[in-house]
Amino acid sequence: VFKYPVILYCGRLDKNKAPDRILQAFMRQKELFPYMQLVYIGQDVDHLWSSLHEEAINAGIGERVHYWGRQNNPYKYMKRAKAVMVLSDHESWSLVISEAKLLGVPVIATNTSGAQEQIVNGETGIITSFQVEEIAEEIEEFLKNFDLQDKIRKNLLTDEAMKLGMQEFEELLRK
């Protein structure tokens, strides 16, 4: 599905989900990771894609930033991503974080209450500040540190983590 490594955004493109923050952090990595791709999947409810893509083109990385729209099965893309980004301004329980964890995919998320409930920083994902520079630094550290990537993936795929993830998901369904 992917020719090059991918950072994935999966969710609505709306201002509260901060898809621009992801692009800005990604642009800071363009020289360090010249083959890395950024893929947005989700409905463009606030009509942000055209301005995001224009910003990517102006930064010289338009060919590395993609919008695939709403997908019936985003999981086939999610499970092949290096990381899933959840950089919202506000986030309660995040279904995207739960889905990525169940697939064994690391999540890099802003320090929201939902991320704090679902991620153990450095063990089952990465929690970062809301500042673009710090997000870019966390992405860089994550992408350079293969041991950290492996550790998070292994932690997510243990029987205990999978059972806990399913319990969390089932509890969410009962609410």
Side-chain angles (χ1 to χ4, degrees):
V1 172
F2 298 136
K3 183 176 179 181
Y4 296 110
V6 166
I7 297 287
L8 183 70
Y9 169 91
C10 189
R12 293 183 323 275
L13 268 71
D14 72 37
K15 291 177 178 94
N16 292 324
K17 299 289 184 182
D20 57 326
R21 187 180 290 142
I22 297 165
L23 177 61
Q24 291 164 5
F26 184 78
M27 288 188 309
R28 293 174 189 255
Q29 307 300 331
K30 66 182 182 181
E31 270 82 41
L32 285 173
F33 306 103
Y35 297 105
M36 187 65 61
Q37 306 286 301
L38 173 60
V39 174
Y40 290 90
I41 292 177
Q43 185 178 357
D44 189 2
V45 296
D46 284 343
H47 309 289
L48 299 174
W49 171 245
S50 61
S51 63
L52 291 170
H53 194 239
E54 184 176 326
E55 190 175 350
I57 289 169
N58 290 338
I61 59 169
E63 74 286 349
R64 294 175 44 204
V65 179
H66 313 278
Y67 174 59
W68 292 350
R70 191 165 180 240
Q71 298 290 314
N72 289 331
N73 179 7
Y75 310 114
K76 64 183 177 181
Y77 306 112
M78 190 182 283
K79 73 180 180 181
R80 291 177 176 85
K82 277 281 193 196
V84 172
M85 307 298 289
V86 180
L87 302 180
S88 306
D89 292 330
H90 310 281
E91 191 78 50
S92 56
W93 190 269
S94 170
L95 195 53
V96 171
I97 292 175
S98 295
E99 293 164 343
K101 285 173 58 181
L102 286 170
L103 292 170
V105 179
V107 175
I108 300 174
T110 45
N111 192 15
T112 61
S113 60
Q116 292 172 10
E117 291 175 11
Q118 294 174 272
I119 295 172
V120 177
N121 193 31
E123 298 293 323
T124 60
I126 305 294
I127 296 178
T128 185
S129 77
F130 296 88
Q131 303 305 312
V132 170
E133 185 61 42
E134 292 178 37
I135 294 166
E137 289 171 9
E138 292 287 354
I139 293 170
E140 179 181 343
E141 171 62 26
F142 175 79
L143 293 175
K144 285 182 173 180
N145 190 335
F146 296 109
D147 290 337
L148 177 62
Q149 291 177 40
D150 289 343
K151 174 180 148 183
I152 291 172
R153 286 184 186 276
K154 285 178 185 171
N155 287 343
L156 291 172
L157 293 174
T158 64
D159 287 341
E160 184 178 318
M162 295 296 283
K163 286 178 190 173
L164 181 58
M166 287 304 296
Q167 287 172 350
E168 291 170 347
F169 188 67
E170 287 170 358
E171 286 175 26
L172 181 65
L173 292 174
R174 280 180 258 181
K175 290 184 180 182

